Amino acid sequence: MKTATHDIYKKTVFYYSFLIMSMVLILEGNFLITIKRQKIDAIYNQQVRIVREIEEEMESISSYTKNCMYELYETESALNDMIAYVNLDSKHYIKNKLDNYVESKQYIYESRERFIQNAFTGRKDLEAIHIISYKNEKVTKYEREDVIQIENYDKASFLEEEEGHEVENEFFIEKRFLLDNQNKPIGEIHFFYNNSRIKKAMKERDS
């Protein structure tokens, strides 16, 4: 009789022990799954935030570039000066500039230089502006520190079909056609923005 009772007791203890252990394992498994899911959600949310930051920064740069070009085309004297600079040689350009300045009778003459100055003033991350002349086969490079260089350009670097942007080393470059009064492409204007914020966000995204 004692042996039967003892066997029943052992079976009962084993049953409840197994039941408790099963519950513990199930709870632990659910806990680990929850923790893993939370980590995945956190990583996903972080990736979404970083991608959004990159997109917002790129949209901000693109919007500013469009505004600069819009102001150029809306300012007749600045646009005419830019067109003359791209199409004429140095001697004829200077004469044309002086003639226009005298005729304008303006205290402040809106010219190519003023366009460049205003563009740099509007955004601190705008590091350089390049003006490319198809006719003269030259690129004029303006930097924020007023450093100006004039160089021959590589024809292979032309924008052939459409405007756009690209990432090059530490710069995010916005490229725009320069059109004359007949909407014919006569050159390009490249805006070089500091790329540190975008690169930092991409590095954080990929880590």
Side-chain angles (χ1 to χ4, degrees):
M1 189 70 177
K2 287 183 178 181
T3 302
T5 304
H6 183 68
D7 289 343
I8 293 174
Y9 176 76
K10 286 177 63 178
K11 289 180 180 179
T12 302
V13 171
F14 175 80
Y15 171 77
Y16 281 107
S17 297
F18 176 78
L19 182 62
I20 292 171
M21 287 298 298
S22 299
M23 293 177 64
V24 168
L25 291 173
I26 292 172
L27 291 173
E28 184 177 358
N30 288 335
F31 176 76
L32 293 174
I33 291 172
T34 301
I35 294 298
K36 186 175 181 180
R37 188 172 298 163
Q38 289 176 348
K39 288 183 178 180
I40 293 173
D41 290 343
I43 293 172
Y44 173 78
N45 291 333
Q46 183 185 35
Q47 293 290 318
V48 170
R49 176 184 59 80
I50 293 172
V51 170
R52 188 179 295 118
E53 287 179 359
I54 295 173
E55 290 176 347
E56 289 176 353
E57 180 69 9
M58 292 172 64
E59 288 175 3
S60 174
I61 289 174
S62 179
S63 177
Y64 183 75
T65 304
K66 289 179 182 177
N67 288 338
C68 287
M69 296 301 296
Y70 176 81
E71 291 180 8
L72 174 63
Y73 287 110
E74 286 296 304
T75 309
E76 184 178 359
S77 60
L79 178 59
N80 289 336
D81 185 64
M82 182 74 77
I83 292 173
Y85 179 77
V86 169
N87 282 336
L88 301 176
D89 58 47
S90 299
K91 180 180 177 180
H92 289 90
Y93 167 71
I94 292 173
K95 182 181 183 303
N96 179 81
K97 186 183 186 71
L98 291 174
D99 290 343
N100 288 336
Y101 177 69
V102 172
E103 291 177 5
S104 69
K105 298 179 181 180
Q106 296 178 0
Y107 177 71
I108 298 177
Y109 180 65
E110 296 291 342
S111 63
R112 167 181 51 89
E113 292 88 352
R114 189 162 181 82
F115 163 76
I116 299 293
Q117 180 184 4
N118 290 340
F120 280 129
T121 302
R123 271 190 82 114
K124 299 300 182 183
D125 59 346
L126 180 58
E127 303 260 342
I129 297 175
H130 293 181
I131 298 175
I132 295 174
S133 168
Y134 292 164
K135 185 174 182 180
N136 295 326
E137 299 186 355
K138 299 288 185 181
V139 52
T140 305
K141 300 180 178 181
Y142 297 85
E143 296 182 6
R144 177 171 289 278
E145 294 78 13
D146 296 327
V147 177
I148 301 175
Q149 294 180 336
I150 300 177
E151 303 173 0
N152 295 327
Y153 65 77
D154 181 4
K155 290 185 178 182
S157 65
F158 271 5
L159 287 176
E160 296 181 354
E161 296 181 356
E162 60 183 15
E163 300 172 321
H165 58 257
E166 65 180 45
V167 178
E168 180 182 295
N169 298 325
E170 70 271 24
F171 294 114
F172 183 86
I173 308 171
E174 283 279 328
K175 300 181 178 181
R176 295 291 184 271
F177 286 120
L178 177 61
L179 308 177
D180 63 12
N181 294 323
Q182 284 74 45
N183 289 326
K184 177 183 176 182
I186 57 174
E188 302 167 19
I189 302 180
H190 297 182
F191 298 79
F192 289 73
Y193 296 89
N194 188 295
N195 193 31
S196 57
R197 290 183 61 183
I198 295 177
K199 286 182 69 176
K200 181 180 179 181
M202 286 182 172
K203 186 176 181 180
E204 185 179 354
R205 180 198 63 183
D206 297 335
S207 62

